[in-house]
Amino acid sequence: MNIYQWLAIAAETPFTPDTDPCSDLVAQAERLALAHLDEPLHISVLCRTLEVSERTLRKAFHKIHGVTPCRHLRAVRLSQARRALLSADGNSVTVTEIATSFGFVELGRFSVEYRKAFGESPSHTLQRSAGRSGRTVTVWGLEDVAGFRNAL
């Protein structure tokens, strides 16, 4: 994704005088970071696109979520990877394919973080989902991340 694509996405979440500037900044950063999940997360690119310093972004995330931007956004991506693993057909997709599709390029780190957050390995989740085809999966949003992001 190039800077112009990021700017177009950022423009879709305008700042408003009625809301908290930190909330607006965090919402824009989340939207940008999640727009292309298949790419690695770079906080410096988010800051350049949003035209704020890394310190400003870090303070805003800490005020809203109590953690750094990288930690929160990584937790969101992990929850979405879990959702994908739970709904996947274990015979036609691999953990590697799912992990990389959510921007995790270091598979060992992905596996460790996943186990810390969910108490099982991603391959075990995929195996369980393969045995339960046709079941429904709860979709996790940003608000569901608070329960496990501190474990990362």
Side-chain angles (χ1 to χ4, degrees), residues 19-137:
T19 60
D20 178 22
C22 286
S23 296
D24 287 340
L25 180 59
V26 168
Q28 282 191 319
E30 288 172 342
R31 191 171 189 165
L32 285 170
L34 300 175
H36 291 278
L37 290 172
D38 59 335
E39 297 177 9
L41 179 63
H42 297 288
I43 300 303
S44 59
V45 175
L46 280 175
C47 292
R48 273 197 314 270
T49 304
L50 295 168
E51 298 178 344
V52 297
S53 69
E54 287 190 33
R55 182 172 187 245
T56 299
L57 188 64
R58 204 171 37 251
K59 282 182 147 187
F61 266 86
H62 195 273
K63 179 180 178 185
I64 302 301
H65 295 298
V67 294
T68 64
C70 192
R71 184 177 231 173
H72 175 74
L73 296 170
R74 190 173 60 236
V76 170
R77 285 180 173 208
L78 267 178
S79 72
Q80 292 178 340
R82 180 173 176 81
R83 183 183 70 204
L85 287 166
L86 286 168
S87 62
D89 175 8
N91 298 321
S92 63
V93 70
T94 66
V95 171
T96 298
E97 290 170 332
I98 290 175
T100 56
S101 72
F102 287 95
F104 294 100
V105 293
E106 296 180 41
L107 300 177
R109 179 176 287 174
F110 168 75
S111 183
V112 168
E113 290 178 359
Y114 188 95
R115 184 181 296 274
K116 283 170 79 175
F118 302 110
E120 67 180 1
S121 69
S123 59
H124 186 258
T125 302
L126 185 59
Q127 289 169 357
R128 282 191 309 113
S129 71
R132 296 187 222 164
S133 60
R135 68 184 185 93
T136 58
V137 176

